[in-house]
Amino acid sequence: MEKKKESFFEQLATKITCWTGSSAAFGIALSVVIVWGISGPVFKYSDTWQLVINTGTTIITFMMVFLIQKSQNKDSKAIQLKLNELIAASRHASNRMVDIEDLTEQELDVLHKYYQKLSDISEEDDDIHNSHSIDAANNLEKEKIEHRRKYHKDETSAPES
């Protein structure tokens, strides 16, 4: 696959996020804090001395929030696409799971309940290698209900001895 040219901001955001996660960046940040702390007596712990570190850290934190969010959005999108590919490639997976990240919180809660039900069915199954899906679970549940109805009907129509 040909790599597309990234925008300047995307290139910058990627480089800064990688660098700020490095040991060197941590060392520099720690050094700045130590130098600032040591310089306290020189500046008599003045309001300006305190304002320098407060302003600096606030600005850096403010900017980093956006850079980190940009990086997380890109990573999240890539992971979602990889998962979608795995779902699409799997014969037994439900294609309804592709792009579920666009669902509302309530819709995701409904899906969670379905998968909880599927988990319960899997736990009851003696063979851990059996594959289950929501559709298969619903069909199995229908079969069980039908079997119970038939069995209960046969039981009630049996003559008493």
Side-chain angles (χ1 to χ4, degrees), residues 69-82:
Q69 188 61 52
K70 168 87 173 125
S71 177
Q72 285 183 334
N73 288 347
K74 183 178 177 184
D75 289 347
S76 177
K77 196 177 284 186
I79 288 169
Q80 291 303 322
L81 289 169
K82 289 176 182 180

Side-chain angles (χ1 to χ4, degrees), residues 31-43:
S31 300
V32 167
V33 171
I34 290 170
V35 168
W36 172 80
I38 292 171
S39 70
V42 174
F43 294 102

Side-chain angles (χ1 to χ4, degrees), residues 36 39-52 54:
W36 172 80
S39 70
V42 174
F43 294 102
K44 299 181 175 73
Y45 301 102
S46 67
D47 290 343
T48 304
W49 173 80
Q50 291 180 20
L51 188 61
V52 166
N54 289 340

Side-chain angles (χ1 to χ4, degrees), residues 15-16 27 34 50-51 59 61 77 85 106 114 122 140:
K15 286 179 184 175
I16 291 173
I34 290 170
Q50 291 180 20
L51 188 61
I59 289 170
T61 302
K77 196 177 284 186
E85 174 62 18
Q106 292 79 17
Y114 278 118
S122 294
L140 182 60

Side-chain angles (χ1 to χ4, degrees), residues 10-11 15 18 26 52 55 84 113 130 134 154:
E10 190 159 336
Q11 289 175 353
K15 286 179 184 175
C18 288
F26 179 77
V52 166
T55 303
N84 288 347
K113 288 177 185 173
N130 278 347
I134 293 174
D154 290 345

Side-chain angles (χ1 to χ4, degrees), residues 107-149:
E107 291 169 326
L108 290 172
D109 288 342
V110 168
L111 273 175
H112 177 75
K113 288 177 185 173
Y114 278 118
Y115 276 96
Q116 185 60 51
K117 180 179 178 181
L118 191 59
S119 172
D120 294 343
I121 290 170
S122 294
E123 286 176 9
E124 293 172 7
D125 197 346
D126 292 334
D127 185 359
I128 63 169
H129 300 294
N130 278 347
S131 177
H132 297 281
S133 70
I134 293 174
D135 295 327
N138 286 335
N139 290 340
L140 182 60
E141 187 66 22
K142 287 176 187 173
E143 286 177 27
K144 287 179 180 179
I145 290 170
E146 188 60 37
H147 178 72
R148 283 187 209 120
R149 282 187 191 144

